[in-house]
Amino acid sequence: MGSGAGEKGWAERRSVLFPFLLPLFCPAALSEQIRYRIPEEMPKGSVVGNLAKDVGLSVLELPTRKLRVSSEKPYFTVSAESGELLVSSRLDREQICGKKPACALEFEAVAENPLNFYHVNVEIEDINDHTPKFMQNSFELQISESTLPGARFILEVAEDVDIGLNSLQNYKLSLSPSFSLINKEKQDGSRYPELALEKPLDREQQSYHRLVLTALDGGDPPLSGTIELRIQVTDANDNPPVFNQDVYRVSLRENVPPGTAVLQVSATDQDEGVNSEITYSFYRTGQVFGLNSKSGEITTLRTLDFEETKEYSLVVEGRDGGGLVAQCTVEINIQDENDNSPEVTFHSLVEMILENAVPETLIALIKIHDQDSGENGEVNCRLEGEVPFQIISSSKNSYKLVTDGTLDREQTPEYNVTITATDRGKPPRSASLSVTLHITDVNDNAPVFHQASYVVHVVENNPPGASIAQVSASDPDLGPNGRVSYSILASDLEPRALSSYVSVSAQSGVVFAQRAFDHEQLRAFELTLQARDQGSPALSANVSLRVLVGDRNDNAPRVLYPALGPDGSALFDMVPRAAQPGYLVTKVVAVDADSGHNAWLSYHVLQASEAGLFSLGLRTGEVRTARALGDRDSARQRLLVAVRDGGQPPLSATATLHLVFADSLQEVLPDLSDQPVPSDPQAELQFYLVVALALISMLFLLAVILAIALRLRRSSSPAAWGCFQPGFCVKSGPVVPPNYSEGTLPYSYNLCVTHTGKTEFNFLNCNEQLSSGRDILCGDSSGALFPLCNSNESTSHPETLSVVSSI
């Protein structure tokens, strides 16, 4: 840095901020730029401006917003404590921008939580930190003594990399009576010196002149550089070479191969001989172009690059044999070719994207750079393929990558996004950059059961603790969002009893039976199971599980009729002696608590006093006379009946039927006296039996008389065919327990028991007001004990059976 910059100090640093209002409805990024202006060569750590304040952030927000600079080359950094924009590396305007009149660094400031981008433009001001500099320490010039006053000679040009007033402004020449200095300016604004001869030279008086040429810039204070002019006065050569043009201008496309002819300069000399032979050379040796010393043809030595140098200014000398020199300027303008492809870079790329991100969620900031100029540097940016994203232009050469549709991680967990940048050159050039965007899972899927409902068949008497079913649900989410647990949500069982019946494994969904089921107590029950994931908030699904308890043959048939008397004695049925074949004597009534085939009962005769006298219905249990009673047949018959169910193996029960052939009760009584008296050690028992028989006989006669009287009284009424009046028996409710109500019996029965004394007599009495179409067992006019009211009616109808037991 020059002394002028040191005297200027850092007090003159200027920071100009042009903030624009933040768009109210665009929180993702700012399209306006925040501008600062600073001088070059500021010390590291110098404050450019309070960036946090300019973007609207307070100091308290800095730790969470993490304000930082996103730039390819870290010229600046942001203070985490104050939010000030600081210089982090050397700022050499000449190195950064060269001779450009305006030098600015553009970069993005990034704030997180939420993600925001701010465009920052820092203009670098030039300071006078470079002195004008000549490429050589001395400059040799030969001037013929015959040169006329007014002749001009182009001198060495100094270079100053500063711009504006700090660049080279003029030249000064040390005092000399023979020479003066003229400052000339080119079309591009650069200055060069010309030496003018003020009076004729005399080699004999002074053959050598030493002058000092000083180059000055416009800084405050100005900086300067010097070169020594060594002028040799040569002998007379009257006519110097003359170029046909003072300035040659040509345009040349970049990337032309080495050896390409640029142009040919030409000079003439009116002298003759050696003094007219012109030799061409560059005033300053270059490494880009070559010059044929004889023909004056200029050719390229290497490939030209517009992005490196846009214009060349060459000085060509033509020297004759007498030492006279003429100069011309060759200005070569390099034309841009579309030889640079665009460059695509990502800034502040979001690594993980939530699958429930709303459209236009900012994903990344994209920078496009093309070193070409004009249309060759104008770039269009697009996305390849069908992806739920789009590119939105943010500012010059800056784009935003945002979401443009619904994301679903379960369908597409990641996207390979390719961004292609194409310039407008002819032919266009393009470049692509691919990036993989990962979609983060959210709990947006509820568990789904593999079946709409479950039906499980479990055979009763199952072992407690055994698994009876398994439900399964899947959740396509990841991690806890897809981890499913199972529970029982509801049931048609009693809440208190539910836990004693079933349980479900929360991890596997296996349903366990906590107890042995009993088909006779519980035929079926239904559970509502819930599958619930571990997301936040958790999602769940329900499914119905119906458990059907299958029957086992674990209940033997139970005989309801005939039953033993209250004292344990067997009851008997009375059959008229004149009963014809097919006469319904009685019916064995049995039930089975099981169901289905396990409750399908069949009736079999195990023993009979007289074979072939009675027949037994296999399914109905009806006992009918198979033939008429013979003279040699005993009046008292005994049948041992077995009742079997249809289970495998079958279970059975037995019933003993005592049948007495008699036309009246009086015929039965003598037989009863013949029955062996139970061997009872107590003598009082015989006395009680005799008294009981006498009382029963009296009651029976009384009942017969009353029945005859009532029948004669109501002979004109249809009810005369009814049974005895209700006063003669005491009716009891149905004795069939509720668990037989499912239909294991083909008939419906009511059992009535009358307790009047101790005896072994059984009486059948019909219920009152029976519905029509039913078979009725009752007494007839002949006085038989158990005649059928209508023996010809179908036995397939439900029957109501009342048993009168006298004790």
Side-chain angles (χ1 to χ4, degrees):
M1 183 178 296
S3 60
E7 294 176 2
K8 186 176 181 180
W10 305 111
E12 293 186 8
R13 181 182 62 84
R14 294 173 293 171
S15 175
V16 182
L17 174 64
F18 298 98
F20 292 88
L21 292 177
L22 178 71
L24 295 178
F25 302 101
C26 184
L30 291 175
S31 60
E32 296 80 10
Q33 287 186 336
I34 300 173
R35 298 180 181 272
Y36 299 96
R37 181 180 297 169
I38 61 174
E40 63 173 328
E41 301 294 349
M42 290 183 67
K44 184 176 180 181
S46 299
V47 177
V48 178
N50 195 326
L51 181 60
K53 179 180 179 182
D54 295 335
V55 299
L57 299 179
S58 65
V59 177
L60 299 178
E61 292 179 290
L62 292 178
T64 58
R65 297 302 301 275
K66 298 180 180 178
L67 184 63
R68 67 182 188 278
V69 171
S70 173
S71 178
E72 294 83 1
K73 189 170 183 181
Y75 290 105
F76 304 96
T77 185
V78 179
S79 173
E81 292 77 21
S82 62
E84 293 177 329
L85 184 64
L86 307 177
V87 176
S88 61
S89 63
R90 182 189 175 201
L91 297 175
D92 188 353
R93 192 204 64 81
E94 289 73 24
Q95 182 181 0
I96 297 173
C97 300
K99 298 290 289 184
K100 292 182 180 179
C103 180
L105 292 176
E106 295 184 358
F107 55 92
E108 313 298 330
V110 182
E112 299 180 355
N113 301 317
L115 184 63
N116 288 341
F117 296 95
Y118 307 93
H119 302 291
V120 181
N121 181 295
V122 179
E123 183 177 350
I124 310 299
E125 292 184 336
D126 182 56
I127 63 174
N128 193 20
D129 58 340
H130 294 86
T131 62
K133 185 179 296 184
F134 291 93
M135 299 302 295
Q136 303 177 34
N137 294 328
S138 63
F139 178 76
E140 300 284 344
L141 182 62
Q142 293 181 350
I143 302 176
S144 176
E145 63 179 346
S146 62
T147 303
L148 298 177
R152 298 182 179 182
F153 306 92
I154 299 176
L155 301 178
E156 174 77 8
V157 179
E159 291 184 355
D160 192 343
V161 294
D162 293 326
I163 63 171
L165 292 175
N166 296 326
S167 66
L168 191 147
Q169 298 297 317
N170 56 20
Y171 295 87
K172 289 183 180 182
L173 187 66
S174 60
L175 294 177
S176 173
S178 300
F179 300 94
S180 65
L181 188 68
I182 300 174
N183 286 283
K184 301 291 292 286
E185 184 174 353
K186 296 181 182 180
Q187 289 184 350
D188 60 355
S190 62
R191 291 179 171 83
Y192 64 94
E194 285 187 352
L195 182 67
L197 183 61
E198 294 295 328
K199 64 179 184 178
L201 300 175
D202 188 357
R203 189 188 63 83
E204 289 71 24
Q205 290 184 1
Q206 186 177 357
S207 63
Y208 208 87
H209 295 267
R210 291 179 181 271
L211 303 175
V212 176
L213 178 64
T214 303
L216 300 171
D217 62 20
D220 184 17
L223 303 178
S224 63
T226 60
I227 188 174
E228 183 183 20
L229 297 180
R230 299 175 181 178
I231 303 173
Q232 182 181 1
V233 182
T234 62
D235 199 19
N237 183 14
D238 297 336
N239 296 291
V242 177
F243 283 95
N244 55 7
Q245 289 181 229
D246 291 335
V247 179
Y248 291 85
R249 294 183 176 89
V250 66
S251 295
L252 187 65
R253 305 188 72 86
E254 67 172 332
N255 295 334
V256 294
T260 300
V262 180
L263 58 85
Q264 185 176 8
V265 297
S266 178
T268 59
D269 195 321
Q270 295 180 1
D271 295 329
E272 293 181 355
V274 177
N275 291 332
S276 64
E277 295 178 1
I278 301 174
T279 302
Y280 300 97
S281 64
F282 283 124
Y283 174 72
R284 183 186 299 168
T285 303
Q287 298 179 351
V288 179
F289 299 95
L291 177 61
N292 189 315
S293 62
K294 297 298 182 181
S295 64
E297 184 180 34
I298 300 175
T299 58
T300 59
L301 297 178
R302 61 179 178 84
T303 304
L304 304 180
D305 190 355
F306 172 84
E307 288 71 37
E308 180 181 345
T309 305
K310 298 177 175 56
E311 185 179 14
Y312 292 91
S313 181
L314 308 176
V315 177
V316 179
E317 290 184 343
R319 187 182 298 272
D320 61 18
L324 295 180
V325 177
Q327 292 180 333
C328 70
T329 301
V330 178
E331 295 182 353
I332 302 174
N333 182 32
I334 307 302
Q335 294 182 347
D336 183 44
E337 288 284 339
N338 191 23
D339 59 341
N340 291 282
S341 299
E343 297 178 0
V344 183
T345 56
F346 279 95
H347 295 269
S348 301
L349 177 65
V350 177
E351 295 182 356
M352 303 300 290
I353 306 168
L354 293 177
E355 63 176 320
N356 61 350
V358 298
E360 298 189 3
T361 298
L362 182 63
I363 304 303
L365 182 66
I366 305 169
K367 296 282 295 226
I368 309 296
H369 179 66
D370 195 320
Q371 296 181 2
D372 296 323
S373 61
E375 290 187 350
N376 296 331
E378 296 179 3
V379 180
N380 294 324
C381 193
R382 71 179 186 276
L383 283 174
E384 299 291 343
E386 295 293 331
V387 292
F389 303 96
Q390 66 172 337
I391 293 179
I392 301 175
S393 178
S394 174
S395 60
K396 183 180 179 181
N397 297 329
S398 294
Y399 297 87
K400 295 184 293 184
L401 178 64
V402 299
T403 57
D404 185 34
T406 302
L407 305 178
D408 190 351
R409 188 208 62 80
E410 288 69 39
Q411 293 184 1
T412 309
E414 64 181 24
Y415 292 90
N416 189 17
V417 177
T418 301
I419 299 173
T420 302
T422 306
D423 60 28
R424 298 178 62 185
K426 294 181 181 179
R429 298 176 70 93
S430 62
S432 298
L433 182 63
S434 297
V435 64
T436 301
L437 301 179
H438 299 277
I439 310 301
T440 303
D441 182 58
V442 296
N443 193 24
D444 58 344
N445 291 280
V448 177
F449 281 96
H450 296 165
Q451 294 181 213
S453 62
Y454 293 84
V455 178
V456 179
H457 296 270
V458 181
V459 180
E460 65 175 333
N461 301 329
N462 56 289
S467 63
I468 60 174
Q470 182 176 15
V471 297
S472 179
S474 59
D475 194 321
D477 292 324
L478 290 179
N481 296 334
R483 192 176 302 122
V484 179
S485 61
Y486 303 90
S487 62
I488 300 177
L489 186 64
S491 172
D492 56 1
L493 297 173
E494 289 293 332
R496 296 181 179 178
L498 175 62
S499 60
S500 65
Y501 275 88
V502 290
S503 65
V504 63
S505 172
Q507 289 74 30
S508 63
V510 176
V511 181
F512 297 94
Q514 298 297 102
R515 62 189 296 179
F517 297 145
D518 188 353
H519 173 79
E520 287 71 40
Q521 293 184 358
L522 182 65
R523 302 290 178 88
F525 60 92
E526 188 167 336
L527 304 175
T528 300
L529 302 178
Q530 183 181 78
R532 187 181 184 90
D533 60 30
Q534 307 300 317
S536 179
L539 301 178
S540 61
N542 299 335
V543 71
S544 173
L545 172 65
R546 183 167 180 80
V547 180
L548 302 178
V549 181
D551 183 51
R552 288 182 184 271
N553 192 25
D554 57 346
N555 290 278
R558 178 183 174 188
V559 178
L560 299 181
Y561 184 83
L564 297 177
D567 57 352
S569 60
L571 305 181
F572 66 92
D573 293 284
M574 190 171 66
V575 184
R577 292 183 179 274
Q580 298 298 317
Y583 176 82
L584 180 61
V585 177
T586 185
K587 185 172 185 177
V588 179
V589 180
V591 295
D592 195 315
D594 295 322
S595 61
H597 281 79
N598 295 331
W600 195 2
L601 303 180
S602 60
Y603 300 87
H604 309 271
V605 177
L606 296 180
Q607 294 179 1
S609 300
E610 295 288 341
L613 181 59
F614 298 96
S615 65
L616 179 63
L618 179 65
R619 296 300 177 186
T620 61
E622 293 178 347
V623 178
R624 295 180 181 271
T625 56
R627 57 180 176 82
L629 181 66
D631 295 336
R632 303 180 62 178
D633 293 330
S634 173
R636 300 184 64 181
Q637 298 290 328
R638 178 178 175 272
L639 291 178
L640 180 61
V641 177
V643 182
R644 298 193 186 98
D645 58 25
Q648 292 295 330
L651 301 179
S652 62
T654 59
T656 302
L657 297 179
H658 295 276
L659 305 179
V660 177
F661 283 89
D663 292 328
S664 64
L665 185 59
Q666 288 77 5
E667 297 181 19
V668 179
L669 293 178
D671 293 335
L672 293 177
S673 61
D674 295 337
Q675 294 180 357
V677 178
S679 59
D680 191 345
Q682 300 180 1
E684 291 83 1
L685 182 58
Q686 295 181 356
F687 174 77
Y688 292 143
L689 290 175
V690 173
V691 174
L693 288 174
L695 292 175
I696 289 173
S697 299
M698 294 176 62
L699 291 174
F700 177 77
L701 293 175
L702 181 60
V704 171
I705 295 172
L706 291 175
I708 294 173
L710 289 173
R711 180 174 294 182
L712 294 176
R713 181 180 178 184
R714 299 180 180 179
S715 59
S716 61
S717 172
W721 302 101
C723 295
F724 295 108
Q725 293 299 317
F728 290 92
C729 70
V730 179
K731 295 176 289 184
S732 64
V735 297
V736 180
N739 55 348
Y740 302 135
S741 61
E742 68 171 51
T744 59
L745 288 176
Y747 304 96
S748 175
Y749 301 94
N750 290 330
L751 302 181
C752 299
V753 180
T754 302
H755 303 278
T756 58
K758 293 184 179 180
T759 184
E760 294 183 356
F761 292 103
N762 264 348
F763 297 94
L764 288 178
N765 191 16
C766 295
N767 287 336
E768 296 178 280
Q769 301 178 357
L770 296 176
S771 59
S772 62
R774 296 188 178 183
D775 291 339
I776 303 171
L777 290 174
C778 61
D780 62 359
S781 58
S782 64
L785 188 60
F786 295 107
L788 273 173
C789 293
N790 189 355
S791 62
N792 295 326
E793 293 186 16
S794 174
T795 60
S796 63
H797 295 286
E799 296 179 356
T800 302
L801 181 63
S802 299
V803 178
V804 180
S805 177
S806 300
I807 300 176

